[in-house]
Amino acid sequence: MAKKKITGEDGKEYTIKEKKPFYKRWWFIALIVIIILGLIGSGGDEEDTAQEAEDAEATEQVAEDEESEETTEPSNEIVLGEPIELGDYTIAVQDYSLGADYEGNDALIIEYDWANNSEDAVAPFMTFIFKGFQDNVETGDVFMVEGVDLETGQKEVRPEGQVEGAQTVVGIDDLSQPLELELTESFSIDDNSYITETDLSTIE
């Protein structure tokens, strides 16, 4: 506190202590500091809460995107009429029928459409491989199946060209057993394969 000398009415000098104004007192300053720190801390909490909400929303969006990607992933099943991308080529299996080769061996006749999306001319039959499996064992080969015309699939097709109604065959060892048909791209380092299981009793 500051000291001040004053002269009284009796002519004597007196020393008095002046009180500081309240806004200069330590307790008031401390109170202001506490209030300011509280406001800063409260603002930080709000920012943290907002950041947490943003992070949670971003995480949820990523999960939704991943789920969407999973549901839109292409199927590896051969579906009649559905195009399949095999590298630079597109093939669509259109129909199945039964036949037999000149030795009497049963065969599955596969009718397909094919398109060349590459930059080179190529024959369709050179770009893919069909295999048949029964009881997890590859079926036998068949040759010269009656009624099958392999010529369409053996013609050279230029870039952007396509053929329809081409045919190929796979062997059948047992007509009473389902046949698993596997389609892969020829000369590819990718291990992508397309599969379907066929009940041969439903095919004419």
Side-chain angles (χ1 to χ4, degrees), residues 90 158 186:
T90 302
R158 291 177 174 172
S186 299

Side-chain angles (χ1 to χ4, degrees), residues 93-180:
V93 176
Q94 299 295 352
D95 196 18
Y96 302 121
S97 57
L98 297 179
D101 69 4
Y102 71 100
E103 291 183 342
N105 298 311
D106 294 312
L108 179 71
I109 303 169
I110 304 164
E111 183 178 320
Y112 65 92
D113 299 337
W114 182 92
N116 186 1
N117 308 315
S118 74
E119 297 178 353
D120 302 305
V122 64
F125 85 102
M126 294 290 293
T127 65
F128 62 83
I129 300 171
F130 275 109
K131 291 180 182 179
F133 290 86
Q134 289 184 308
D135 292 328
N136 296 317
V137 178
E138 186 177 358
T139 57
D141 293 328
V142 287
F143 303 96
M144 296 178 63
V145 176
E146 185 178 352
V148 172
D149 182 8
L150 301 176
E151 183 180 357
T152 302
Q154 294 173 347
K155 291 180 178 178
E156 187 174 90
V157 180
R158 291 177 174 172
E160 299 183 9
Q162 57 186 6
V163 295
E164 296 180 354
Q167 292 179 315
T168 189
V169 295
V170 297
I172 298 173
D173 292 340
D174 186 349
L175 284 172
S176 66
Q177 296 292 325
L179 177 76
E180 183 180 276

Side-chain angles (χ1 to χ4, degrees), residues 176-197:
S176 66
Q177 296 292 325
L179 177 76
E180 183 180 276
L181 186 64
E182 179 184 87
L183 169 65
T184 56
E185 181 185 0
S186 299
F187 315 114
S188 173
I189 59 174
D190 294 330
D191 194 24
N192 290 339
S193 59
Y194 296 82
I195 296 173
T196 188
E197 186 171 277

